[in-house]
């Protein structure tokens, strides 16, 4: 069998849980004049398209700058009563398009797209990722983040409206359970 086809067959079960679309990735408009400094710090996940792997709750992400100008990205969540986290690295690959970050969670995987569609820096952020496989089809992730554990419905609706306008299907987005009262950051630090 043609190895590309074989690769596709291997990938299918993994991606079927994501939004899968035929054709190449859409190219939404992104946050103009994206200011990384103002974006850094902690965000709570409000809604996302659920991924295929096991789900926890109270997902957070904390962005900070490393000495070498890469961005440290710490995703954390509570899973079966324990906090767990994963550290990744994001970079601005082209300074002329600062809202187009690339992200990787291992030294062995290439950067995936991690685009800031919109943010006001102080309350809400929309992040979008799309990977296309041989321009045949693509899988997409979308996250709505808040600076607090919940956002007014109006802000969530506006975020989705904006995504729809940019050709991104939000019908599979699900609310993230943020029913946690402790601050995870302190607890995961020494895991
Ligand atoms: C930046 O520093 C981090 C942590 O020290 C390291 O893992 C990463 O490889 C470095 N990246 C570059 C591009 O130097
Ligand atoms: C969005 O996706 C859902 C299910 O995946 C589909 O039923 C719906 O028609 C899509 N909407 C648009 C506007 O493409
Ligand atoms: C985010 O990460 C930075 C760098 O590791 C850390 O100094 C900071 O305390 C963290 N912020 C929060 C709110 O957890």
């Amino acid at each position: 069998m043609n190895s590309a086809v074989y690769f596709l067959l291997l990938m299918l079960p993994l991606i079927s849980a994501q939004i899968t679309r035929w054709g190449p990735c859409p190219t939404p408009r992104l946050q103009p004049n994206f200011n990384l400094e103002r974006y850094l710090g902690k965000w709570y996940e409000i809604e996302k398209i659920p991924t295929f792997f096991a789900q926890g709750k109270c997902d957070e992400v904390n962005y900070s700058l490393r000495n070498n100008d890469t961005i440290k990205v710490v995703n954390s969540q509570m899973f079966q009563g324990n906090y767990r986290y994963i550290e990744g690295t994001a970079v601005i690959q082209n300074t002329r398009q600062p809202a187009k970050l690339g992200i990787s969670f291992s030294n062995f995987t290439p950067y995936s797209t991690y685009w800031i569609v919109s943010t006001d820096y102080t309350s809400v952020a929309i992040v979008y990722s799309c990977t296309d496989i041989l321009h045949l089809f693509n899988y997409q992730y979308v996250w709505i983040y808040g600076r607090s554990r919940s956002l007014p419905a109006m802000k969530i609706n506006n975020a989705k409206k904006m995504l729809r306008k940019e050709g991104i299907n939000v019908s599979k987005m699900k609310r993230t359970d943020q029913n946690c009262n402790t601050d995870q950051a302190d607890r995961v630090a020494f895991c």
Side-chain angles (χ1 to χ4, degrees):
M1 198 178 346
N2 178 311
S3 64
V5 173
Y6 189 59
F7 174 71
L8 292 183
L9 291 177
L10 279 178
M11 293 293 292
L12 275 173
L14 295 182
I15 63 181
S16 57
Q18 267 55 259
I19 298 189
T20 309
R21 295 263 168 278
W22 297 103
C25 285
T27 50
R29 279 173 296 177
L30 304 179
Q31 175 62 43
N33 306 315
F34 176 64
N35 182 326
L36 176 62
E37 291 281 324
R38 294 181 64 200
Y39 184 74
L40 297 177
K42 183 141 85 173
W43 292 91
Y44 298 95
E45 187 184 280
I46 305 296
E47 291 210 9
K48 71 158 165 253
I49 290 166
T51 50
F52 57 85
F53 41 85
Q55 291 299 298
K57 62 174 198 166
C58 303
D59 297 67
E60 304 174 3
V61 56
N62 179 8
Y63 306 94
S64 56
L65 277 182
R66 295 205 188 91
N67 294 334
N68 63 9
D69 281 345
T70 62
I71 304 156
K72 178 169 146 187
V73 182
V74 179
N75 280 323
S76 57
Q77 65 168 202
M78 197 165 146
F79 181 68
Q80 294 176 347
N82 294 305
Y83 288 100
R84 63 180 190 182
Y85 77 105
I86 179 167
E87 183 178 326
T89 293
V91 291
I92 294 175
Q93 291 166 305
N94 175 350
T95 49
R96 280 188 293 183
Q97 295 180 302
K100 285 191 174 178
L101 304 185
I103 197 166
S104 170
F105 285 96
S106 128
N107 290 337
F108 308 106
T109 55
Y111 287 106
S112 311
T113 56
Y114 195 78
W115 293 353
I116 315 301
V117 175
S118 174
T119 184
D120 61 3
Y121 306 100
T122 55
S123 68
V124 61
I126 306 172
V127 180
Y128 175 69
S129 174
C130 182
T131 301
D132 83 32
I133 308 274
L134 308 173
H135 294 284
L136 285 177
F137 58 88
N138 61 73
Y139 53 103
Q140 307 180 18
Y141 300 88
V142 184
W143 298 266
I144 297 173
Y145 288 115
R147 285 292 192 192
S148 51
R149 284 192 197 278
S150 67
L151 282 180
M154 173 83 123
K155 291 223 173 190
I156 300 173
N157 291 339
N158 285 343
K160 289 183 174 175
K161 205 183 287 173
M162 176 178 271
L163 284 163
R164 265 189 237 109
K165 211 168 128 196
E166 297 301 322
I168 297 162
N169 189 323
V170 296
S171 65
K172 285 191 180 156
M173 291 196 81
K174 293 261 177 338
R175 184 70 65 95
T176 301
D177 182 354
Q178 285 290 352
N179 184 20
C180 289
N181 45 24
T182 49
D183 227 342
Q184 296 176 38
D186 313 327
R187 320 237 332 231
V188 295
F190 300 105
C191 281

